[in-house]
Amino acid sequence: MAVLKPKVLRFESLPSTNTELARLASEGAAEGVSIVADEQTAGRGRLQRAWSSPKGAGLYFSILLRPAIPQNHWPLITFMAALAVGDALREASGVQTDIKWPNDLLSGERKICGILAEAIETPAGRAVIVGIGINLTQNAFPPELANVATSVATSTGRPPDRERILAALLDALSRWYSLLDEPGRIVDAWSNRSSYAIGKLVQVSNGDDLWQGTTAGVEPDGALRLRTASGEIKLVRAGDVYSVRPSD
Ligand code: BTN
């Protein structure tokens, strides 16, 4: 059982907490070293996108993990992070979340948190930086995203307590990390918390291809199973998933 002991370093401003933590990891930082910044000037999202990170509007957090599990199970690290964020938001602010494959947290069908896991080579071996961005207020994202994004403040109608959410997140990450060597439990818990796991009509785009189908669960390594109209099962390992209304 992996034991995680987070140690948090705080910064007023950084280009990106993931980038700074990768630098520390390359200098030998230990598992559990974490970074929180009040703002990011070059926050990064999945698929080479920017992550808007104005001062005080979000929780911008990264943690260094050195998982002792087979490489083909590493995609489950983002699953365990999504489970931990879900716990933290529920425990610290009463926000109930859904998980959209692979690891977006939704509240009321709008995105409230994104997760960016990046594998890196370090002198102490392969490691992974898990970056978590939680929208605390509506200022976290540009107004044109208001129909697809939301924040803790909007979901609760109260000012968000960043420190309480952070403390709950550290506890939850430690709990879920200890289960990483039981992939079945992570996949089952993730599937139970995701309306996208089974029976959802979706479109999947990976930049080159666009598929439509109904979700049919996730593989033990985290790939999404998509049943197309012809009955074929496609395994999706990267891309964006969009919910489709049957009449669309
Ligand atoms: C996504 O595209 O949904 C993932 C967004 C991840 C953003 C977080 S904020 C903290 C960490 N530092 C970064 O530059 N990105 C991640």
Side-chain angles (χ1 to χ4, degrees):
M1 187 179 89
V3 177
L4 184 63
K5 293 196 179 131
K7 177 183 167 214
V8 180
L9 309 175
R10 289 165 184 275
F11 293 79
E12 265 181 32
S13 180
L14 281 174
S16 155
T17 55
N18 268 33
T19 307
E20 178 62 13
L21 193 49
R23 195 185 65 73
L24 296 181
S26 72
E27 291 176 352
E31 175 165 81
V33 171
S34 306
I35 291 184
V36 176
D38 295 343
E39 72 168 355
Q40 298 183 118
T41 53
R44 294 185 286 111
R46 288 175 60 236
L47 310 173
Q48 326 294 334
R49 294 179 185 133
W51 184 259
S52 155
S53 312
K55 193 173 180 70
L59 174 59
Y60 315 120
F61 170 87
S62 299
I63 187 163
L64 173 62
L65 304 176
R66 298 184 179 277
I69 57 168
Q71 290 271 325
N72 60 336
H73 285 155
W74 279 36
L76 298 183
I77 293 165
T78 55
F79 276 29
M80 80 92 204
L83 289 163
V85 174
D87 281 358
L89 288 176
R90 192 186 61 248
E91 289 163 13
S93 48
V95 175
Q96 299 291 342
T97 50
D98 186 10
I99 311 174
K100 181 159 84 79
W101 188 93
N103 44 44
D104 285 353
L105 275 288
L106 308 181
S107 167
E109 299 187 20
R110 295 190 168 134
K111 182 160 167 173
I112 196 166
C113 168
I115 297 172
L116 174 66
E118 297 179 298
I120 53 166
E121 300 298 337
T122 77
R126 211 163 153 77
V128 58
I129 310 275
V130 179
I132 295 174
I134 298 177
N135 300 330
L136 295 177
T137 72
Q138 296 296 105
N139 292 339
F141 47 84
E144 59 268 25
L145 294 185
N147 56 343
V148 290
T150 190
S151 63
V152 175
T154 295
S155 295
T156 61
R158 293 188 305 275
D161 185 337
R162 184 181 82 158
E163 291 309 308
R164 198 163 160 209
I165 295 171
L166 174 61
L169 179 60
L170 297 173
D171 281 353
L173 280 168
S174 302
R175 274 199 310 274
W176 284 107
Y177 194 63
S178 71
L179 295 178
L180 207 52
D181 54 1
E182 298 180 60
R185 285 182 71 180
I186 301 278
V187 169
D188 285 354
W190 187 96
S191 301
N192 284 334
R193 290 208 200 162
S194 172
S195 73
Y196 282 75
I198 292 181
K200 185 95 146 185
L201 186 59
V202 295
Q203 277 190 346
V204 180
S205 124
N206 71 357
D208 298 325
D209 299 306
L210 185 68
W211 300 304
Q212 182 159 316
T214 304
T215 59
V218 289
E219 292 283 296
D221 69 356
L224 181 67
R225 292 161 56 87
L226 185 71
R227 192 185 311 280
T228 64
S230 65
E232 181 194 0
I233 293 280
K234 283 195 177 296
L235 295 186
V236 182
R237 297 188 192 279
D240 283 319
V241 169
Y242 303 95
S243 170
V244 178
R245 290 194 182 81
S247 56
D248 284 354

